[in-house]
Amino acid sequence: MEPVVVIEDGTGRDTDALRWATTYAQLIDTGLEIHSPHDDFRAQLVVVGYRGHSNSPLGLGDHVLPLLAKARCDTVVVRGTPSAVGAEHRRITVLVSGGTGDDHVLQRAVDFARRLGTSLRVLHAAPVPPVGTGTEVDHSDVLARATAALGGMPHSAVLVRVQPHEAIAHCIDTDLIVVGSGESHENGAVTRAALHHAPCPVLVVHQPVLEEVHGHDAIPAPRRSVRTEA
C-alpha cells in the first residue's frame, strides 16, 4: 500500500499537518513519508499545511496550489481551529455542485467518514439569483441525486442559499470539508474558497484530467517513486 506523504517546506511550522497525517496513517495502518514540495513520490494521500514561509494566517503558502495542480492522488490541506484539526466534532461535510464529479467526491467522503467513524453531511450552496433574472432552478434535485449516489449511507443533506465561501466559513462544527479538484488542472472556485475560508482541514479529491497526447485522450502517467526519508 502506498504511504501517506507529508509535505514540509522547511519552515518548521508544519506541526499540525504532521500530526494529522500521523494519526491518519496509523488509523489505516500504512507508512508515513516526509517530502519537500519539489520531491517526486508516490502516495495514496498527500497532507500539507496551508501556510508557507509567511507568518501571516491569511492566504495560502505559495506551494499549495501548485502541489494540488500536479497531485495524482487526494490531498488534505490542514488548516482551521484546534478542535477541527484534532477531529473533535466527529463530522465530515462534503460539498456538492450538481456536476459530473459529485459521485466520486461523495464516495471519497463516505470512505473517510467510515474510516474516521464520523457522521456525514452533504452541503449544497446556491445563492438566490437576482429578482427578474429567471435563472432560478430546483436545487433540491442536487441533494436528491447525492442521496441516491450515497446508496443508503446515513447522512444529513443541507441546502443553503448563500455563496459557497459563506457556507464553508460557517462549517464550524466540521472536522473535514471534502471538495472536488475541478475538471481541469486549475482548482475551481469552490475548491479555492474552501482552501481560503474553511475553519477545518480540507480534503481535495483528485479527479483525473484527460490530456491530449498525440491526438488521444489519456490519463496523466503517475510520477516515479524516490528514496524515502527516515
Side-chain angles (χ1 to χ4, degrees), residues 51 103 108 165 187 227:
R51 291 190 295 181
D103 286 2
R108 295 301 292 137
H165 73 271
N187 295 291
R227 180 178 60 84

Side-chain angles (χ1 to χ4, degrees), residues 98-202:
T100 57
D102 278 356
D103 286 2
H104 183 51
V105 174
L106 286 163
Q107 186 55 59
R108 295 301 292 137
V110 168
D111 291 344
F112 271 75
R114 286 175 172 163
R115 286 176 172 178
L116 299 175
T118 67
S119 63
L120 179 65
R121 175 169 58 200
V122 179
L123 179 64
H124 178 52
V128 177
V131 176
T133 60
T135 58
E136 179 63 12
V137 298
D138 182 11
H139 291 282
S140 63
D141 187 53
V142 174
L143 294 178
R145 291 198 301 271
T147 294
L150 288 172
M153 172 72 177
H155 68 283
S156 60
V158 182
L159 169 64
V160 289
R161 304 312 305 264
V162 297
Q163 295 288 346
H165 73 271
E166 296 174 298
I168 290 165
H170 283 88
C171 289
I172 59 175
D173 59 349
T174 295
D175 296 323
L176 186 68
I177 286 178
V178 184
V179 295
S181 61
E183 296 181 355
S184 71
H185 285 302
E186 297 297 325
N187 295 291
V190 174
T191 304
R192 287 175 179 261
L195 296 175
H196 283 280
H197 298 282
C200 62
V202 178

Side-chain angles (χ1 to χ4, degrees), residues 3 9 22 26-27 30 48 66 70 82 93 106 123 133-134 165 169 193 211 215 219-220 222:
D9 65 359
T22 300
Q26 291 174 344
L27 180 67
T30 194
V48 61
K70 69 179 183 179
T93 296
L106 286 163
L123 179 64
T133 60
H165 73 271
E211 294 182 337
I219 300 298

